[in-house]
Amino acid sequence: MEIHRFLLGLLAFLHFCLPVAPQSTCKLKAKFNLSGYKDVEKKKVVVGGMFPVHKRIASSDGNTSRVPISSGCEGFNFRTFRWTQTMLFAIDEINQKDELLPNTDLGYVIYDSCFTISKAVEGTLTYLTGQDEAVPNYRCGNGAPLAALVGAGGSDLSIATARILGLYHFPQVSYSSTCSALESKFQFPTFLRTIPNDKHQSTAMAQMVLHFGWSWVGTIAADDDYGKYGIKDFKEQVEEAGVCISFSETLPKVSSPEDIQRIVDTIVESTAKIIVVFSSDVDLSPLVLELLRHNVTNRTWLASEAWVTSALINQPGVGSVLGGTLGFGVKRADIPGLQHHLLNLDPYADPLTEEFWETVFNCTLDYGRALRQRPRTLRGVPEGLCTGSESLVQLNNTYWDVSQLRITYSVYKAVYAVAHALHNLEHCEPGHGPFTRNECAYITNFEPWQLMYYLKNVRFKVPHTNEEVYFTDGDVDGLYDIINWAINSDGEVSYVTVGHYNGSAAPEDRMTIMNDSIVWNNEVLEPPRSVCSENCQPGTRKGIRQGEPVCCFDCIPCADGEISNTTNARECVLCSGDYWSNDAHDTCVPKVIEFLAFGEPLGITLIVISAFGALITIAVGVVFMGHIGTPLVKANDALLSFSLLFSLVVTFLCSIVFLGEPQHWSCMTSQVALALGFALCLSSIMGKAAVLMLRAQNLKAARSRAKAAAKAAAEAAANSGGPDVIVTTTNNNDVAATAAPEVDVLTFAHQRAITAMATLIQVVACTVWLILLPPHPVKNTSAQNIKIILECDEGSVVFICCIFAYDILLALLAFIFAFIARKLEDHFSEAKCVTFGMLVFFIVWISFVPAYLSTRGKFMVAVQIFAILASSFGLLTCIFLPKCYVLLVKPERNTEEMMRPRARPRDGTSTGTSASLATAATEVNATTASTAIDD
């Protein structure tokens, strides 16, 4: 029993205590999404590789509410894919050699860095772990040992990977990372490269600038260590030699249209003709496309090795912008058998090659995907399905172009450097090894630091080229070809080697360049000039730039009206009198004389319109003359109508006098004729409107009397009858007809007298104006600097304001009289016509004021003429068109009966007549009273 109880207690203790005990576990925090090539089965040693096969990582939505995943890559790069295939080709070639690693087959693990630091780090950690799931600080599995990493592409990527690999003393051999920062063995103890250090290239570029005497250059660098360090070393050297830097711009790593546009604007605005660019082709490509779009030419570009032979930059049409470029390319070589390898890919071998195939042929190898995307053809095969047997030879693609194997050759050398180091490690003689107690490392089980010893001390000759490769503190000799971008007859760019640079030679012997072989961007043999400031030509003056180098000054154009006719003039001279500076500001020339001429299109148009208006007015007068005895013409005072038509003819024709070069007679005639013409016109209308107004007042008074009489009669009838009397009033016609017809207070003679008096007042005023301060022609030089405007000066602002104010007064009186009489209704209402005519007149001249004040020169005259014509046409149309319509189209309405008043409407609105009240009396309607007596 005691044992039984003890066991039960122990089980209970374990049950409650074990679940809460702390546990030590490992948890995988992330799984990387990497693509590439892998062949490690039955391999004795594995070589790592890292290439930027894609240009960037795919963008993510930034959603943090779900499990993060490693981004994929996009933007396939055919040039870097060729580098990847070169490593595969080199490993396959080494495995087939009997003299190099005869007993060892090399395997490989190659990852795509996507030209991004994060992907490069992912690939490095995964490579070191030895499995798809990266476990930092651990090597998992029992596979073949890792030899070295060939990569990782750009300098930024290599710096990131070299810091990690250096922790484990793991060798790294780069084929394209040239940044001078990587030479520090304190930070990067295991980094080596088969491409020259950028300190050689920066020195070479500085020496080239000094060689051609360029003292004014611009710089552009990628926003990474490669660009920053390269440009920094270059600027230090040239500024020490007295060269001025025009601008320093940085290319964004993530393409930004705003930043690219800003850089383009800087290039366009700068006077520097030489632009030094330290950048990769991927970072530079957006800028080149924008330069092409803006057609930025006449610049000479100095290219770094990263883009000088890049097909990504050398696109069709780029020659207009980048033609004549000079650059430094790493050593070129031919690699026999490489092109055959590049053209004989198996598209189904791995996902990366499959993506390459689908990208280059714009099809898909996936039958199901092709079927979903496009319908089947008649043969049952979906459109867009790759056959897998397409020919790469037929494509003009940089992938299989082996004419400029420079970085590709550097990859080839890097792989062979690792292979030769492994070969030396494998063939170490026991007891004569380099390690402790003269031990050797074994090819099947060695430490990375052991291989690092052999890599640092490797020395070999590259197959097919016999170039001897060795490392001095991890670097190779600074050997470059100087490459010139020459444009052939087809407009295509060809790379021409015009010199060489050897960074290891004596300073005076480092650069050899054939100046006569260079084709510059302007297609001449002379190198372009690039100085901070050119000589100030005539038309400009020198201006000092505050805070800038002494070699820099501005050539400030002379202001309008000023000239300089010498080179490097200190001041500009002001033109005097009727002269003005020409476009070049180097000569004073007579100012342009401007006026609205008869022969120019605008003048001809205004003349035609004026003549047309006068002819139409005369035609109306002829119509009235032909119907002078008819009731309609007689009712409107024929003489007053003819005076109105005559005044309109005057206003139409006086507008022509405004045209042409102003003379004394034309200035006086145009203004006076306009004032008198409108005075006669408006006074005639005022006389007509006054009569109509008085008729309306008389009619209103007559109605009031008639209504009062009717009311009195009704009251009388009601008072004389009984309580059942009903009074009714019957109006068959207008109420006003109860009164006898009244004679107009103003007769035709009065109207004519009013018109004559009003016009005479204007004649007197104009006469005084012409005698005292007549209008005269003047030269207006203040309105526009480059022109002399010939115009008429009014002589006196007070006189002209008074004269036209008088016309406005006549117009207001005419409008008021016509507005009061507008309710005179018969078959022809002249009061309404006059009212509308005056409204048009006011609208035109009110609109004229702002239009006239906002114009200058000859267009002021055009606006004035347009206002005259528009107001004249408005009066002619509104007043005479209805009359002509009756006279010509509806002659049956031109009778005495039609001139009589119409019946009064039932709503009791006042009715009357404008024409009929002058020719006939209204009819009298009897008012009867009837009574009905109640039964």
Side-chain angles (χ1 to χ4, degrees), residues 203-262:
T203 302
M205 285 188 170
Q207 191 168 338
M208 178 176 287
V209 169
L210 299 177
H211 172 78
F212 288 107
W214 297 322
S215 62
W216 187 237
V217 299
T219 62
I220 298 175
D223 191 14
D224 54 24
D225 291 322
Y226 168 71
K228 293 176 181 177
Y229 277 90
I231 284 296
K232 174 178 174 292
D233 292 342
F234 167 79
K235 290 171 66 175
E236 288 177 353
Q237 297 182 57
V238 296
E239 287 178 343
E240 185 178 351
V243 176
C244 299
I245 302 299
S246 171
F247 61 87
S248 293
E249 291 291 342
T250 302
L251 292 170
K253 294 297 290 183
V254 179
S255 182
S256 169
E258 294 79 12
D259 290 341
I260 295 298
Q261 182 60 50
R262 174 180 52 78

Side-chain angles (χ1 to χ4, degrees), residues 488-561:
N488 58 26
S489 57
D490 297 330
E492 297 179 351
V493 174
S494 59
Y495 305 118
V496 180
T497 301
V498 295
H500 304 279
Y501 182 85
N502 184 357
S504 303
E508 64 275 8
D509 299 328
R510 287 177 182 175
M511 179 180 290
T512 57
I513 186 168
M514 298 173 286
N515 293 349
D516 296 339
S517 300
I518 300 175
V519 178
W520 300 99
N521 58 341
N522 50 8
E523 297 184 357
V524 297
L525 298 179
E526 291 296 326
R529 281 177 50 81
S530 186
V531 295
C532 186
S533 298
E534 296 285 355
N535 292 331
C536 291
Q537 300 300 316
T540 61
R541 64 177 179 86
K542 293 177 66 175
I544 299 174
R545 299 178 186 172
Q546 297 294 333
E548 293 198 17
V550 293
C551 60
C552 302
F553 53 85
D554 288 323
C555 293
I556 303 174
C558 292
D560 291 338

Side-chain angles (χ1 to χ4, degrees), residues 631-638 640-641 688 748 828 830 883 915:
L632 179 60
V633 176
K634 291 191 298 182
N636 286 275
D637 188 1
L640 208 60
S641 296
K688 286 176 172 287
F748 287 162
F828 178 78
E830 186 175 15
K883 298 177 182 178

Side-chain angles (χ1 to χ4, degrees), residues 79 82 281 303-316 318-319 322-329 332 398 401-406 481-488 492-499 517 519:
R79 184 189 185 204
R82 183 181 70 220
D281 53 354
S304 62
E305 97 295 337
W307 67 273
V308 69
T309 58
S310 171
L312 183 62
I313 301 299
N314 185 9
Q315 297 289 330
V318 78
L322 299 180
T325 294
L326 284 175
F328 294 87
R332 173 191 171 278
T398 185
D401 182 8
V402 295
S403 62
Q404 292 291 328
L405 298 182
R406 297 181 185 275
D481 292 334
I482 300 176
I483 300 171
N484 178 222
W485 284 32
I487 310 299
N488 58 26
E492 297 179 351
V493 174
S494 59
Y495 305 118
V496 180
T497 301
V498 295
S517 300
V519 178

Side-chain angles (χ1 to χ4, degrees), residues 60 105 181 202 337 421 459 476 536 642 662 692 700 710 790-791 812 929:
S60 61
D105 275 348
S202 298
R459 196 179 192 102
V476 295
C536 291
F642 286 127
L692 297 176
K700 184 177 180 180
L790 299 183
E791 58 186 15
L812 285 173

Side-chain angles (χ1 to χ4, degrees), residues 683-698:
S683 59
S684 301
I685 296 173
M686 183 183 68
K688 286 176 172 287
V691 172
L692 297 176
M693 180 191 68
L694 292 176
R695 290 176 185 173
Q697 295 295 328
N698 292 338

